[in-house]
């Protein structure tokens, strides 16, 4: 694992956006794996700026999001679908048909998991996948547990995650209890990975990820199995390492 520590959130966001923009320049038809959450907001903001000012085009780019809540409509204000359009897709020239986000409200959710995996394979696999990390060490919505889903699956959200994400909802009761998420093999099959962590609330999870042996109790430890994973931290997130 290549670990890079930046001064602050601004630098972290810039570095992540530059890595993505560089990939898009080198391979304009790249397949990108994309996260949601507070951490990547700065990265998306910069990518939109690069699109507007620097001729970076998403015209041939394909994207696959990591996860989505179950039983939430795509236009729900807290859906990851909505987040992606608000923060990136509606501002750039990506083609609608090249955007892939798991359908959390699919009638047959098991079939949706299989369909999602198939779409990733049919796209030729993910060239560059961007990840966050949860305060509890989760990866995408792969929560600490005795076992870890291999491929895209339906999972139960931990109370920790539901509380951490509750500000997007009217109250904690409204936060979905389940989600659809890429599995650990889906994630590790990406050719390149970058993982972003910012803030002191992530210092414990980053420490566990780096220092602990691989364990499903800290799903982020699995990133160590990837040969081309780069961890981008700001100073606060790197405080314990
Ligand atoms: P955050 O979420 O960026 O909102 O902290 C990251 C995660 O939960 O994976």
């Amino acid at each position: 694992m290549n670990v890079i520590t930046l001064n602050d959130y601004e630098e972290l966001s810039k570095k992540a956006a530059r890595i993505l923009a560089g990939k898009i320049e080198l391979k304009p038809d790249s397949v990108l794996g994309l996260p949601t959450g507070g951490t990547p907001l700065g990265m998306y903001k910069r990518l939109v700026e690069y699109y507007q000012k620097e001729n970076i085009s998403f015209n041939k780019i394909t994207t696959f999001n990591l996860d989505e809540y179950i039983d939430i409509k795509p236009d729900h204000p807290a859906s990851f679908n909505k987040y992606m359009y608000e923060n990136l897709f509606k501002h750039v020239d990506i083609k609608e048909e090249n955007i892939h986000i798991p359908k959390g409200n699919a009638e047959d959710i098991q079939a949706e998991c299989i369909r999602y995996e198939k779409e990733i394979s049919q796209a030729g696999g993910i060239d560059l996948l961007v990840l966050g990390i949860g305060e509890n060490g989760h990866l995408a919505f792969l929560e600490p547990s005795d076992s870890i889903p291999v491929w895209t699956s339906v999972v139960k959200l931990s109370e920790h995650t539901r509380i951490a994400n509750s500000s997007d909802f009217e109250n904690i009761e409204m936060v979905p209890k389940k989600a659809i998420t890429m599995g650990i093999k889906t994630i590790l099959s990406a050719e390149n990975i970058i993982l972003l962590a910012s803030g002191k609330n992530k210092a414990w999870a980053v420490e566990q990820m780096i220092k602990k042996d691989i364990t499903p109790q800290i799903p982020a430890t699995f990133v160590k199995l990837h040969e081309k994973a780069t961890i981008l931290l700001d100073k606060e997130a790197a405080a314990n390492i």
Side-chain angles (χ1 to χ4, degrees), residues 37-40 132-134 138 202:
T39 314
I133 182 172
H138 78 199
K202 297 292 173 70

Side-chain angles (χ1 to χ4, degrees), residues 154-172:
V154 175
V155 291
K156 235 181 111 194
L157 295 178
S158 68
E159 278 316 288
H160 191 123
T161 297
R162 292 185 67 235
I163 292 164
N165 291 9
S166 59
S167 61
D168 295 336
F169 294 85
E170 273 171 47
N171 57 56
I172 180 78

Side-chain angles (χ1 to χ4, degrees), residues 36-40 131-135 138-141 161 165 198 201-202:
T36 52
T39 314
L131 292 165
I133 182 172
E135 289 173 8
H138 78 199
L139 213 54
F141 268 146
T161 297
N165 291 9
S198 165
N201 59 321
K202 297 292 173 70

